[in-house]
Amino acid sequence: MRLAWTVGEAPQFGRLGMDLLGFTGWWSVALCAAAGGLAVALDRVATWRPALAGLAWTVAGALVAAAAILLPELVGFLLFTVGPFFDPLAFASRLGCVTGAVLLGLTTARYQRRTRGDCPDCCRTVRPGARRSASARWARWAAYAAVGGLVTRFAAQFVVGFDRVDQNASLLGLEIGLVLAGGLLPLALVHHWGEVWPGWVPLLAGRTIPRALLLVPGFGLGAGIVAYFGMGIVQVSSGSYSEFSDAFLWVAMSAYLVMGLGLVVASTDYHLRTRRQCGTCGR
């Protein structure tokens, strides 16, 4: 499809004018070709090659970054709105791009398990130590950095004036989601009340919180925020036009980037701390 659009005539993508960020024309063709070639290589190579796995993870990350606009669109869906820039074909293109990233990631993980002797179920390679009852210090710092990033973002918005920020439905939905992701979620990932429902929660108090309830948004939103605002920083660096000052954009986007990274790091510790003993390898 990318090749047909590049050689022939690409469709118009509504008011936004594009479906992918950073990878357009032949760059998008090269990215998709690299993903396909790496998937075949990962399936056929029988020995562990860190460079191959690293390249595959990099390409998977690039696919996610190219489809970064998908994040505000999905948040908008959760708030029952699509925003003025929504285009069905562009959305399908971005969704396909992220699907390719997920498939390449799963292929890479399978390659690692097969060639490194990892457990096929839990992917563990070494026996873990005693289970920690509290989060690691580095995870707590990451969580607090995520909250700090959110506070910094809104402090910068306060300086330029809230009335100057475009509050269309899609961006407003994104900001509401980011408030929850940058305030409540990172703290829940590193405190005990993120594992057991607090006493003030009706009907659920004292019960164990399903891990997926925190891990899915933790990793998903964290990765999405890093991709979306990481690409935003690249665009600002290239001199893209904006009604806001460069200072505001650098501060706001960097703050969001810190928040996304903090979420990913805190989610990693939560996963390692709360996972059960594997029934296959006993680790």
Side-chain angles (χ1 to χ4, degrees):
M1 183 189 71
R2 305 306 310 188
L3 181 61
W5 285 358
T6 301
V7 175
E9 183 178 353
Q12 299 297 318
F13 296 111
R15 293 174 58 185
L16 195 59
M18 57 183 174
D19 61 330
L20 301 181
L21 294 176
F23 295 89
T24 58
W26 286 105
W27 285 110
S28 66
V29 176
L31 183 62
C32 291
L38 284 168
V40 173
L42 290 167
D43 185 60
R44 296 186 177 183
V45 174
T47 58
W48 167 241
R49 297 181 181 177
L52 178 62
L55 181 59
W57 285 119
T58 300
V59 171
L63 287 168
V64 174
I69 302 176
L70 193 65
L71 175 64
E73 290 179 327
L74 294 178
V75 173
F77 289 161
L78 293 176
L79 299 174
F80 305 102
T81 179
V82 295
F85 296 99
F86 178 78
D87 179 79
L89 184 59
F91 174 78
S93 174
R94 289 188 278 269
L95 191 61
C97 196
V98 171
T99 301
V102 172
L103 292 174
L104 181 58
L106 292 173
T107 303
T108 308
R110 178 178 178 273
Y111 165 75
Q112 293 181 177
R113 292 195 299 268
R114 175 170 54 85
T115 58
R116 296 193 311 182
D118 296 359
C119 174
D121 288 343
C122 69
C123 306
R124 291 178 176 134
T125 57
V126 296
R127 292 186 177 277
R131 179 174 175 176
R132 292 183 286 112
S133 59
S135 58
R137 179 179 298 179
W138 51 267
R140 293 194 295 272
W141 277 110
Y144 299 146
V147 176
L150 180 69
V151 173
T152 301
R153 164 62 176 88
F154 282 101
Q157 186 169 318
F158 177 80
V159 171
V160 300
F162 284 85
D163 57 330
R164 290 191 56 202
V165 179
D166 184 7
Q167 295 295 338
N168 66 61
S170 181
L171 290 180
L172 181 60
L174 172 63
E175 291 192 356
I176 293 175
L178 288 174
V179 167
L180 297 176
L184 181 64
L185 182 56
L187 297 179
L189 288 167
V190 296
H191 288 92
H192 181 67
W193 51 269
E195 300 178 43
V196 179
W197 291 106
W200 49 265
V201 179
L203 304 179
L204 296 175
R207 296 187 179 184
T208 301
I209 297 177
R211 297 174 72 244
L213 191 63
L214 271 69
L215 288 178
V216 171
F219 280 121
L221 285 175
I225 290 170
V226 170
Y228 184 76
F229 291 102
M231 291 300 291
I233 289 178
V234 171
Q235 290 184 313
V236 172
S237 302
S238 64
S240 299
Y241 170 77
S242 174
E243 63 177 303
F244 302 106
S245 67
D246 288 346
F248 169 78
L249 292 175
W250 275 107
V251 171
M253 290 186 177
S254 298
Y256 273 140
L257 191 60
V258 169
M259 185 177 72
L261 291 172
L263 274 175
V264 172
V265 173
S267 298
T268 300
D269 177 76
Y270 184 86
H271 164 65
L272 296 175
R273 190 176 76 252
T274 61
R275 62 181 180 177
R276 298 178 179 177
Q277 183 180 29
C278 178
T280 299
C281 66
R283 299 172 182 170

